[in-house]
C-alpha cells in the first residue's frame, strides 16, 4: 500500500479568494496585496514580451528582404552575455536569466523560421516526392510548398501519371519505406529528366546511393533527416548528407535545408551506415529489449513512476515513446542490413558476460569493468553529467 | 570524412559592431536600430524580473512568519491559467508564456525553499548523522544545520565519542554504504536514547528496517532519497518512506522533509525493494551493459554525437552520466540482494530470445512482439511521448 503523505496544512488560497474579502485575516490581506503587485508586474512583463515579439518580426521582415539566414548564434550568445552581466549587477541569478532568455530566443527563432520558411532558394522550382503522402514525405512536401515550390506527389495510386508528374522537375525525392527504396528508385529513375536532382530520405545510405547512382546519370544526393515528422520546425534539427554526383548542382538543396534552420552534416555512405548502426539501430534495439522485459515481468509501471528518480522517469519515457510509434519504422531500422543484425546479435550476446558476475556476486569484477568503461568514456562523462543534469532539472521543473 | 556544410553567407554582426558605425549600409543601420529597441525592452524585462523577485521575497518572509509551506500548486496553476489567457488576448503564443513562467516560478520556488530551509519543525533538536561526512550524509547535515538543528557527525574517526555524541539526541540517521548498514546499526543502537527516532537513508529497506527495529526499541522510520547529493534544493524531489514503529513520533521528521520541498511517498519495506529492483537496479544495469558494449566495440562517440538524433544524445547522456559517478554506489545498488541479482540475470538472459529473430531476419516476430509490448504499455506510451517530446525540445533548445 502506498500513499502520498502530507500532513502540513494544505493552504489553498483559491478558497480564500472565493470566500471573498470580508473574512480576511491581516496575514491574508497582506499576502493578497503582495500577490496583486506580482500580478501587476506579470502583466507588464507580458506586455513587454508582446512588444519584443513585434520588434523581432520587424527584424525578420528586414532579413527576408535581404536574403539573410535566421539563426544567428553570435548575436544570441552576445545577448546572453550582456543579460548575464546585467543580471549580476541587479542581484538576479545569471543562470536563471539565461534559462529565461533561452526560452525567449527559441520562441523568436521559431517565429523567424516560420516566416523564413516562405523563402525559397529556387522558388517556382518543381519538386516530385515519391511517397509524399507518408509522414516524412508530407512533412517535406509542406516545407517545399510553403517556400513557393511546385510540389507533386507520386504514390502507388497515381503511378500511371508518372510521366506527366516528372515533366520539367528540378528535384525528385524518394521517401518510401527502406524495403521498397531500391525498387521504387529503379521504376522512377527512367522518368526523371537527366539534369534533375535525385535525392532520398532513407535512414540507410549505402544501397540506396548505389541504386540512385546506377539508375540516374544526373546529380544525386542522399539525405537522412535525424528527426521525426512531428517537429514543428527544422530549427537546429540535424540532416545527414551523403554526396553522390555533381555536388555543385546539389548545393541549392543544401542551402534550402540550411535556410529552413537545419544543421547539415556530411559523410560517405558506408560511414553513415556504420554510425547509424549505433545511433539508431543499437539504441532502439536496447530500448525494445528493455520494454519487452518490463512487459514480460508485468512490472507495475504506475508504481515504479510514483517512486521514480528523475533518471528512471526519463529512461522509462524513452521506452514508452518507442512503443507509441510505428512498429514498421523500427523493424526497417533494426533489420536494415546483415552487418547491423550482426552488431545487434553481438550486443544481445554480450549481456551473457554479466551473468557469471551476478551469479558470483562479484563486486570486484563489476568495479573493474566499471572503471575500464569510465576511463574509455573519458571527458564525455563530464559533459554527459552536465547536459543530463540540465535536462533532469527541466523534467523536475515541469512534471 | 565528415564536416559541417554551411555555404550561406555567415553574417556576424559582432564584426559589424566592431568595424564601427561609419561603414553601415542602410540595412545594417536599420537592423541596429531594431536591435537597440530590443535591448531596451530586455533591460525593462530584467528590471521587472528583479522587482518580481523582491515581491516574492516579501511573500516568503510573511509565510515564514506564519509557518506556511512554500510550494503552492494551486496558486501556480491559477497564475499560469491567467497568464495563458492574457497571452491569447495579446496575440502571444500561450505555450511560450507558460514555458517562460515555469522557469520564473521554479526560480522563485527555489528562492523560497532556500529561505524556508532556515525553518525548523523542531529547531534546536539534536540530530546525529552516522556517516555524516559522506555525500548524502553531509547533504542532510547541511539541511538540518541550516534549519537550526544541532547536528553531530559520527564517523569511524570519532567512534570513541559515540556516547557523548548520542547524549540527548532526538534523531539518529544512518547514512553509510549498504554493506555496512547492518553492522553500524548494531554498534550504534545501544547508545541511542530509547525515545530518540532512528532512521536510515539506505536505498534498500528490508534488511535495514529489520535491523533497526530489532536493535532499537523506540520510534523507527526508513528514508530513501531518490536523488543525488548534487541537487541544489529538495524542491519536488522524491523521498520514499518506510514506516517502522511509533509513526506519530516520526511525523515531525516527515513534516520537516515536506517543508524543505520534498515529495514523500510511502511503502512497506518489501514493496519498496521490489520497486527499486526495477527503478534503480535494472535501469542502471541496462545502462552499464550498453556502456560496456560501446567501449568494447570502441565506438567513436564524438562521431555518433555529431550525427545524433536528440533521442540518442539523451540516451548516451544517461550512459555517460552513470560512468561519471562512483562505481561503489552502483555496485551496492546492483548487488544489493539475491532477488535483485536474480532479476538482473533474467534480464541479461532475456536478450538471448532476440538472437534467433535477428538470425532469421524475422520482421514478423519483431512486429508481433512490438505490438504486444505496445499494448501492454497502453496509455503510458502517450504520456511518455508527450513528456519526452517536451524534454527533447528542451535539449534542442539548449545544446
Amino acid at each position: 500500500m502506498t500513499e502520498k503523505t502530507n500532513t502540513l496544512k494544505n493552504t489553498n488560497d483559491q478558497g480564500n479568494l472565493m470566500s471573498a474579502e470580508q473574512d480576511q485575516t491581516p496575514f491574508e490581506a497582506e499576502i493578497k496585496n503582495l500577490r496583486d503587485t506580482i500580478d501587476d508586474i506579470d502583466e507588464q512583463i507580458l506586455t513587454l514580451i508582446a512588444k519584443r515579439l513585434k520588434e523581432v518580426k520587424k527584424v525578420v521582415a528586414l532579413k527576408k528582404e535581404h536574403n539573410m539566414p535566421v539563426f544567428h548564434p553570435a548575436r544570441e550568445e552576445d545577448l546572453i552575455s550582456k543579460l548575464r552581466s546585467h543580471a549580476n549587477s541587479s542581484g538576479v541569478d545569471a543562470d536563471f536569466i539565461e534559462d529565461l532568455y533561452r526560452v525567449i530566443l527559441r520562441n523568436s527563432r521559431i517565429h523567424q523560421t516560420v516566416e523564413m520558411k516562405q523563402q525559397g532558394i529556387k522558388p517556382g522550382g518543381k519538386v516530385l516526392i515519391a511517397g509524399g503522402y507518408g509522414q516524412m514525405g508530407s512533412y517535406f512536401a509542406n516545407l517545399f510548398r510553403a517556400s513557393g515550390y511546385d510540389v507533386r506527389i507520386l504514390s502507388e495510386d497515381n503511378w500511371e501519371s508518372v510521366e506527366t508528374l516528372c515533366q520539367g522537375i528540378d528535384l525528385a525525392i524518394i521517401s518510401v519505406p527502406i524495403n521498397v527504396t531500391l525498387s521504387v528508385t529503379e521504376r522512377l529513375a527512367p522518368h526523371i529528366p537527366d539534369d534533375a536532382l535525385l535525392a532520398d530520405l532513407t535512414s540507410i545510405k549505402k544501397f540506396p546511393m548505389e541504386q540512385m547512382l546506377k539508375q540516374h546519370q544526373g546529380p544525386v544526393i542522399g539525405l537522412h533527416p535525424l528527426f521525426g515528422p512531428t517537429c514543428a520546425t527544422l530549427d537546429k534539427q540535424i540532416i545527414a548528407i551523403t554526396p553522390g554526383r555533381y555536388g555543385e548542382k546539389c548545393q541549392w538543396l543544401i542551402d534550402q535545408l540550411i535556410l529552413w534552420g537545419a544543421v547539415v552534416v556530411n559523410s560517405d555512405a558506408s560511414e553513415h551506415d556504420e554510425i547509424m548502426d549505433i545511433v539508431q539501430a543499437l539504441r532502439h534495439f536496447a530500448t525494445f529489449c528493455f520494454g519487452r522485459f518490463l512487459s514480460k515481468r508485468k512490472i507495475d509501471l504506475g508504481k515504479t513512476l510514483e517512486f521514480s528518480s528523475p533518471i528512471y522517469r526519463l529512461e522509462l519515457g524513452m521506452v514508452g515513446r518507442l512503443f507509441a510509434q510505428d512498429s514498421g519504422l523500427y523493424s526497417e531500422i533494426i533489420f536494415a542490413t546483415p552487418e547491423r543484425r550482426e552488431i545487434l546479435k553481438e550486443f544481445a550476446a554480450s549481456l551473457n558476460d554479466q551473468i557469471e558476475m551476478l551469479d558470483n556476486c562479484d563486486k570486484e569484477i563489476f568495479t573493474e569493468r566499471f572503471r575500464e568503461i569510465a576511463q574509455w568514456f573519458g571527458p564525455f562523462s563530464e559533459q554527459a553529467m552536465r547536459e543530463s543534469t540540465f535536462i533532469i532539472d527541466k523534467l523536475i521543473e515541469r512534471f
Side-chain angles (χ1 to χ4, degrees), chain A:
Chain A
M1 214 205 57
T2 65
E3 56 185 86
K4 305 242 173 189
T5 305
N6 192 332
T7 60
L8 281 180
K9 307 172 252 191
N10 222 326
T11 46
N12 178 347
D13 34 353
Q14 300 307 94
N16 291 343
L17 290 173
M18 279 184 287
S19 74
E21 286 161 42
Q22 71 259 29
D23 303 329
Q24 282 184 348
T25 62
F27 165 71
E28 284 166 340
E30 220 173 322
I31 283 270
K32 189 178 176 313
N33 273 343
L34 288 170
R35 289 199 168 146
D36 286 347
T37 311
I38 294 174
D39 287 347
D40 188 47
I41 294 173
D42 286 336
E43 202 146 332
Q44 293 177 52
I45 293 177
L46 194 61
T47 307
L48 284 168
I49 297 271
K51 211 168 139 192
R52 191 184 198 282
L53 271 176
K54 264 190 209 134
E55 297 302 313
V56 168
K57 275 187 187 157
K58 290 184 198 163
V59 175
V60 172
L62 258 182
K63 281 189 181 175
K64 211 168 148 177
E65 229 176 88
H66 291 78
N67 248 334
M68 308 279 283
V70 181
F71 181 45
H72 203 316
R75 159 86 185 149
E76 284 200 2
E77 294 314 311
D78 180 45
L79 187 66
I80 293 280
S81 307
K82 268 198 274 177
L83 286 164
R84 287 188 67 102
S85 90
H86 282 201
N88 283 329
S89 54
S90 5
V92 180
D93 181 14
D95 287 340
F96 160 52
I97 291 299
E98 177 167 349
D99 277 355
L100 204 65
Y101 268 83
R102 295 277 175 203
V103 175
I104 293 178
L105 292 176
R106 167 152 166 89
N107 182 264
S108 73
R109 216 160 50 226
I110 287 178
H111 272 271
Q112 295 187 40
T113 311
V114 169
E115 295 280 325
M116 299 293 279
K117 244 195 203 176
Q118 317 295 343
Q119 213 181 339
I121 292 279
K122 227 182 218 237
K126 294 181 175 58
V127 178
L128 176 87
I129 302 185
Y133 296 122
Q135 288 196 306
M136 209 33 127
S138 36
Y139 186 79
F140 275 90
N142 288 335
L143 280 174
F144 278 105
R145 272 194 205 104
S147 298
Y149 290 85
D150 169 6
V151 176
R152 297 112 184 253
I153 306 294
L154 178 65
S155 72
E156 277 309 324
D157 300 337
N158 65 350
W159 192 272
E160 71 284 359
S161 319
V162 63
E163 205 56 55
T164 328
L165 290 168
C166 284
Q167 253 163 37
I169 57 170
D170 298 284
L171 167 65
I173 297 182
I174 294 173
S175 176
V176 297
I178 299 183
N179 57 336
V180 295
T181 300
L182 298 190
S183 60
V184 169
T185 307
E186 192 176 357
R187 281 168 73 201
L188 176 61
H191 307 286
I192 300 176
D194 278 352
D195 56 346
L197 172 50
L198 177 59
D200 75 321
L201 301 178
T202 321
S203 64
I204 52 169
K205 289 268 84 82
K206 201 156 171 290
F207 301 117
M209 288 302 290
E210 282 168 8
Q211 180 75 324
M212 288 197 294
L213 288 165
K214 184 176 150 201
Q215 305 290 341
H216 179 61
Q217 297 314 309
V220 167
I221 189 169
L223 310 177
H224 177 196
L226 281 156
F227 51 85
T230 51
C231 293
T233 77
L234 282 191
D235 183 42
K236 283 186 173 183
Q237 299 285 4
I238 292 177
I239 299 181
I241 288 218
T242 307
R245 188 190 289 127
Y246 302 139
E248 72 288 357
K249 291 195 176 162
C250 304
Q251 193 58 50
W252 71 269
L253 178 57
I254 298 177
D255 287 348
Q256 183 65 66
L257 298 173
I258 294 171
L259 197 56
W260 283 332
V263 174
V264 158
V265 288
N266 264 359
S267 70
D268 67 34
S270 314
E271 189 189 30
H272 170 276
D273 289 358
E274 271 173 40
I275 296 171
M276 292 307 146
D277 286 346
I278 307 300
V279 171
Q280 295 199 307
L282 177 62
R283 195 50 251 172
H284 294 324
F285 179 68
T287 302
F288 170 80
C289 293
F290 192 80
R292 181 150 201 256
F293 185 73
L294 292 181
S295 80
K296 271 177 68 186
R297 295 266 318 186
K298 299 193 173 55
I299 298 302
D300 182 343
L301 294 181
K303 190 59 61 76
T304 65
L305 279 174
E306 196 183 338
F307 283 77
S308 78
S309 59
I311 299 277
Y312 174 80
R313 186 179 190 115
L314 196 52
E315 294 276 7
L316 193 62
M318 292 293 131
V319 182
R321 182 185 176 85
L322 185 130
F323 292 103
Q325 292 175 77
D326 178 37
S327 64
L329 176 70
Y330 288 105
S331 100
E332 293 307 333
I333 289 176
I334 282 172
F335 294 96
T337 67
E339 295 80 17
R340 180 166 288 186
R341 295 195 295 275
E342 205 47 52
I343 289 185
L344 301 184
K345 270 169 58 188
E346 259 182 57
F347 171 68
S350 76
L351 269 75
N352 290 322
D353 292 0
Q354 315 294 352
I355 292 181
E356 200 184 330
M357 170 186 89
L358 290 165
D359 260 335
N360 301 336
C361 193
D362 195 337
K363 292 186 194 176
E364 265 176 49
I365 289 267
F366 176 83
T367 305
E368 196 182 297
R369 289 177 181 170
F370 189 99
R371 290 199 178 136
E372 266 171 39
I373 306 166
Q375 198 162 26
W376 179 81
F377 265 95
F380 172 72
S381 289
E382 291 305 321
Q383 182 194 333
M385 193 76 191
R386 219 169 40 244
E387 285 194 18
S388 57
T389 300
F390 170 80
I391 289 302
I392 289 166
D393 283 350
K394 287 288 161 198
L395 196 67
I396 292 179
E397 181 184 318
R398 185 59 165 258
F399 299 105

